[in-house]
Amino acid sequence: MAHDEDDDQQTQDLHTDGQAGAARAARRDHAVRAAVEQGVIRPETPVAGLLDIAGIRASAAALRAAFEAVTPPGTPVLHAFAVKATPLVPVLRLLRAAGIGAEVASPGELALARAAGIAPGDTVLDSPAKTLAELRQALALGIAVNADNPQELARLDALVRSAPTASPVGLRVNPQIGGGSIGALSTATATSKFGVPLLDEDARQWAVRAFLDRPWLTRLHAHSGSQGMPLEMMVRGVGAAYELAEEINERAGRRQIDTVDIGGGLPVNFASDAESPTHAQYARRLKARVPGLLDGRYGLVTEFGRSLLAKHGTLLARVEYAKEAGGRPIAVTHAGVQVATRTVYAPLSWPLRIAAYDALGRPKSGPAVGQDIAGPACFAGDLLAENRPLPLLEQGDHIAALDTGAYYFAQHYSYNSLVRPGIHGFSIYDDDVRFAAAREPQTLDEIVAEAGGGSERDALRYL
């Protein structure tokens, strides 16, 4: 693409994204007020997750369009949502209806995908610690499997010999391109636990031989993206996988590798309502840097999670008390470490935007005052934000943690036995906001049962 054409495209992207962000913010404000008016959030249920159904559908459509724009018609492309990002069966059903499959990394995630009706052919199993039973089940169902290491590949050797399978089988490699700004999420460092490390001594040669010795090994997988990872580094990781696929196919004298799984990991902008980078920008960057991957010779699999859902979730909580300590205002809410674990324990890596709403759910106005937004857990660091400038919050007001549709309120952390919040999808019809529960709030009886109190008999007493 010529430089001026690229500039024009970037300008158009900014304009389109600005409009989409403004529309998303308007829907959010409308939904927050309706949640208060309709009792979705109230004194008895003082914290709730809200999911923007229109936004989720739009993201799914935009992802599909992004790769359709850079591949020839008929190129097989599977977009497999990373279930770990938002492990809710109704959300997976919604994505399935939008043409999105599932990437699973545990028996639990596979069970969720199956409960959502996602077909085995639209499901990919990853994980660095798959058990023999997991592998056997996946091969029996016809689910795609990406082997992580030589020992797992040896297990697959035995399973494939013992029973025919329709499962596509691939090998995960680590291009070792380095890490992003969040070390704990960087999957392509020199010492990452994931995949075959291509730059280690003899590892690349071993990988090539692994394919040449196994005609049924037909996919290559590399996931090098993550939050905090620059796009150019992600593209380098995909490029390394493509070059290896080309080498293997040349050595085999045929197109043994027919599909490249490029993983997910597109970072999310948590600083504003802008959705950047977009899937379209990433796809165009891949087309420019790794054109052979997208010329129709290879099928593609993607495994996006956070980038599909984050912008479409809002964590809403009532202010139970407003107090002051050391001259600083503190809004004590019911949203803390149990719903925003990463932000509480690593606030510099995972800062969240906070929006202030009044007792009626309307955006709150007034001078910005530095204040802490505190959660309910019994330790001092349970803060969603520290000294954050916001209109001064009062008892009965509401706060909203934004961009929390992935890796937040759906992954509950049972600190203090705090209940899992209800999660509600919403759609807007003219001025009418309609809610449907994706997950009901947890009950106290359920907490007791999960803690071993479901039986009257105390088994430990008889040991």
Side-chain angles (χ1 to χ4, degrees):
M1 183 181 289
H3 178 70
D4 57 348
E5 292 176 340
D6 191 54
D7 287 346
D8 289 344
Q9 183 63 64
Q10 290 183 21
T11 300
Q12 179 62 36
D13 286 346
L14 289 172
H15 177 70
T16 302
D17 188 46
Q19 290 180 317
R24 191 163 51 244
R27 290 198 303 272
R28 179 177 65 235
D29 286 348
H30 202 162
V32 168
R33 182 165 183 176
V36 175
E37 292 174 347
Q38 297 181 33
V40 170
I41 189 162
R42 59 187 189 276
E44 297 77 20
T45 53
V47 60
L50 306 180
L51 287 170
D52 180 354
I53 302 305
I56 294 172
R57 287 178 172 141
S59 277
L63 170 59
R64 296 180 64 188
F67 281 83
E68 288 170 358
V70 298
T71 53
T75 301
V77 180
L78 170 63
H79 297 295
F81 174 69
V83 172
K84 56 185 169 290
T86 309
L88 295 170
V89 171
V91 170
L92 301 182
R93 288 181 180 140
L94 182 68
L95 291 171
R96 183 199 68 194
I100 307 296
E103 184 268 339
V104 300
S106 72
E109 289 182 0
L110 176 55
L112 295 179
R114 296 186 72 190
I118 296 175
D122 293 331
T123 306
V124 180
L125 173 63
D126 295 318
S127 165
K130 305 180 199 71
T131 66
L132 194 58
E134 288 178 71
L135 293 171
R136 187 179 290 112
Q137 180 189 27
L139 295 180
L141 291 172
I143 290 168
V145 176
N146 287 317
D148 179 83
N149 56 70
Q151 292 176 7
E152 184 179 336
L153 198 54
R155 285 183 171 180
L156 287 166
D157 284 333
L159 291 171
V160 169
R161 282 195 302 267
S162 66
T165 178
S167 292
V169 181
L171 179 68
R172 179 170 184 168
V173 296
N174 172 12
Q176 294 176 295
I177 56 172
S181 61
I182 304 176
L185 291 192
S186 296
T187 59
T189 60
T191 56
S192 171
K193 70 180 182 179
F194 295 103
V196 176
L198 287 183
L199 300 184
D200 281 15
E201 186 177 1
D202 297 329
R204 187 183 187 92
Q205 294 85 341
W206 178 88
V208 172
R209 176 49 56 189
F211 278 87
L212 297 180
D213 291 344
R214 297 168 177 84
W216 46 267
L217 200 58
T218 60
R219 290 188 173 187
L220 198 62
H221 176 216
H223 174 95
S224 53
S226 71
Q227 188 66 22
M229 197 77 163
L231 270 192
E232 200 58 41
M233 288 186 72
M234 293 177 59
V235 171
R236 280 173 49 204
V238 173
Y242 166 72
E243 290 170 2
L244 180 59
E246 290 282 276
E247 178 182 347
I248 291 167
N249 284 349
E250 183 179 357
R251 291 278 302 276
R254 61 188 181 88
R255 196 167 68 97
Q256 177 172 343
I257 295 178
D258 58 25
T259 300
V260 178
D261 184 333
I262 66 172
L266 190 70
V268 168
N269 164 34
F270 285 96
S272 74
D273 280 314
E275 188 173 351
S276 61
T278 65
H279 295 111
Q281 289 167 341
Y282 182 39
R284 290 197 300 268
R285 188 78 63 93
L286 286 171
K287 184 69 171 178
R289 300 287 195 273
V290 199
L293 178 65
L294 303 174
D295 64 8
R297 290 179 298 127
Y298 291 96
L300 292 175
V301 176
T302 73
E303 300 174 354
F304 298 108
R306 181 183 293 108
S307 58
L308 272 171
L309 267 292
K311 286 291 180 186
H312 309 304
T314 300
L315 178 62
L316 185 61
R318 292 183 79 252
V319 176
E320 192 70 39
Y321 298 108
K323 56 190 292 188
E324 187 174 296
R328 181 182 297 172
I330 303 171
V332 181
T333 79
H334 292 270
V337 72
Q338 87 281 23
V339 286
T341 313
R342 285 175 170 173
T343 293
V344 169
Y345 285 133
L348 297 181
S349 294
W350 298 100
L352 284 174
R353 291 186 295 145
I354 304 294
Y357 295 87
D358 66 16
L360 298 178
R362 303 169 302 191
K364 188 153 188 171
S365 59
V369 178
Q371 54 201 296
D372 290 352
I373 309 302
C378 291
F379 67 99
D382 185 29
L383 303 172
L384 290 190
E386 188 172 1
N387 201 21
R388 183 71 57 85
L390 291 166
L392 187 62
L393 289 159
E394 302 172 287
Q395 185 178 39
D397 284 344
H398 301 84
I399 63 96
L402 310 183
D403 309 325
T404 47
Y407 294 103
Y408 277 91
F409 46 67
Q411 285 91 346
H412 188 71
Y413 175 35
S414 299
Y415 202 104
N416 281 147
S417 296
L418 294 164
V419 298
R420 287 191 297 269
I423 300 175
H424 307 267
F426 70 85
S427 290
I428 301 175
Y429 304 87
D430 296 324
D431 284 334
D432 181 24
V433 182
R434 301 178 190 175
F435 293 96
R439 186 183 72 196
E440 295 288 349
Q442 188 181 29
T443 67
L444 296 181
D445 286 343
E446 289 170 337
I447 289 179
V448 171
E450 288 183 5
S455 171
E456 294 183 5
R457 181 180 178 184
D458 185 356
L460 299 185
R461 293 172 57 191
Y462 297 96
L463 290 179

